[in-house]
Amino acid sequence: MTDKSFQPTLAGMRAFVAIAERQHFGSAATLLGVSQSTLSQGLAALEAGLDIRLVERSTRRVTVTAEGAQLLPYARAVINAADAFTGVATASSDPLCGRLRLGLIPTVAPYVLPTILTGLSGELPELTLQIVEDQTARLLRLLGDAALDAALIALPAQTAGIAEIPIYDEDFVLVLPPGHRLSGKRRVPTTVLPDLPLLLLDEGHCLRDQTLDVCRQAGARVQPADTRAASLATAVQCVAGGLGVTLIPHTAVAVETARTKLSLAHFAAPRPGRRIGLVYRATSGREEPYRRLAGIIGTMIADEHQVRLAVERPAGRL
């Protein structure tokens, strides 16, 4: 009679399943990477605890008993559940193996996400990204509520409990309608901004605040144009339509000016810009893997930037 206090071990059930599937002790032992004596001991302990003969062995063959056949699916289910449990635990201890919920602000996502998704699939094949695009304040709130694991935003985050890892810096570029007097210039002072009909993004976009900061640092009080946009794509289209000028980050230039006849101008040093970084909960205990992730992303973006420069220079583009 089976002892009700008996608790089968995983080793015993693995031995049973391997023997039942291979119908050979030597082959089963090789599969599990153990000696035949260890395999036999594991099976014997399981049979003794259950008080049931699970397999019949002879000099020529191994046969699963009727009782063993009845219990075999349950043993497989236990092993599969244990393996899944270990897999999830491994992914939890290493966030770069498994699902990672990554937030990105709208002025970053469309321009670096293709590079990130393509590159990470090769660098971190066990990583599965879940992407959330939203404004900074909402991303930080989701991060604090543990609804996100990390986010790419403009630094500093200036939020209690949020740690940050800088990844890359980029300049702001002035986007102008065709034929504008500043077109093609590379040393434009920021003090010209108050004299321009500056298009800003809607409230909540960090790029709006950064643009206004550029004006304040130049000692100028800007008068924004009446037109406001919910995205950089809309702002750029408005510039193409002659409704004003706008600032965009350098990573957005290739995408946003590809299908429009726009002019660009670059600011004089020190050029205004922003710093993009990875932010995460300081209490997550994941600084090391997130620094690794940030390093990989930074390298990919830097490589992409060099490729774009190599393509643009021969053509004489800005």
Side-chain angles (χ1 to χ4, degrees), residues 283-296:
T283 57
S284 67
R286 294 178 170 181
E287 179 180 357
E288 184 177 346
Y290 285 155
R291 285 197 177 278
R292 180 186 172 203
L293 176 63
I296 293 172

Side-chain angles (χ1 to χ4, degrees), residues 11-282:
M13 284 188 282
R14 288 188 190 277
F16 168 45
V17 171
I19 293 168
E21 291 178 347
R22 294 303 179 97
Q23 295 188 347
H24 187 275
F25 273 71
S27 178
T30 300
L31 176 66
L32 297 180
V34 299
S35 65
Q36 287 193 44
S37 61
T38 299
L39 184 82
S40 298
Q41 290 170 9
L43 177 64
L46 181 63
E47 289 180 325
L50 295 174
D51 194 24
I52 293 174
R53 178 62 64 85
L54 298 173
V55 299
E56 294 179 1
R57 20 195 191 287
S58 67
T59 56
R60 292 188 176 181
R61 58 184 302 183
V62 175
T63 305
V64 178
T65 65
E67 295 82 1
Q70 186 178 8
L71 291 172
L72 185 59
Y74 296 100
R76 286 196 181 104
V78 169
I79 293 170
N80 290 338
D83 290 342
F85 179 87
T86 303
V88 171
T90 299
S92 297
S93 63
D94 184 356
L96 306 186
C97 295
R99 186 186 66 159
L100 180 74
R101 299 165 299 176
L102 180 67
L104 299 97
I105 55 176
T107 57
V108 167
Y111 316 114
V112 305
L113 201 51
T115 300
I116 290 175
L117 292 178
T118 301
L120 288 183
S121 65
E123 293 285 342
L124 300 170
E126 296 183 17
L127 177 66
T128 301
L129 286 179
Q130 177 182 321
I131 300 299
V132 176
E133 182 184 20
D134 214 328
Q135 294 181 5
T136 301
R138 286 196 284 267
L139 290 180
L140 290 173
R141 187 162 55 249
L142 291 172
L143 196 57
D145 293 340
L148 281 179
D149 299 307
L152 282 177
I153 67 170
L155 302 180
Q158 296 181 320
T159 303
I162 298 298
E164 54 189 54
I165 304 170
I167 298 180
Y168 65 93
D169 296 323
E170 61 177 340
D171 296 338
F172 291 147
V173 179
L174 187 59
V175 181
L176 308 158
H180 194 279
R181 62 183 177 84
L182 296 177
S183 297
K185 294 189 179 297
R186 292 185 172 273
R187 294 181 179 85
V188 177
T190 54
T191 52
V192 305
L193 292 176
D195 301 325
L196 300 174
L198 191 59
L199 298 175
L200 298 176
L201 295 183
D202 280 338
E203 297 281 353
H205 285 279
C206 60
L207 185 57
R208 173 192 176 90
D209 298 331
Q210 292 158 0
T211 300
L212 293 175
D213 283 342
V214 170
C215 297
R216 282 192 288 267
Q217 290 170 12
R221 184 173 180 177
V222 69
Q223 292 295 329
D226 293 334
T227 300
R228 290 191 306 173
S231 69
L232 274 186
T234 300
V236 169
Q237 292 300 322
C238 289
V239 173
L243 299 183
V245 304
T246 195
L247 298 187
I248 66 174
H250 191 269
T251 50
V253 170
V255 173
E256 296 300 349
T257 62
R259 292 175 292 180
T260 54
K261 295 181 179 179
L262 290 169
S263 299
L264 302 177
H266 294 260
F267 290 101
R271 291 181 290 273
R274 65 180 184 176
R275 173 167 291 181
I276 301 300
L278 187 75
V279 295
Y280 61 97
R281 290 183 304 282

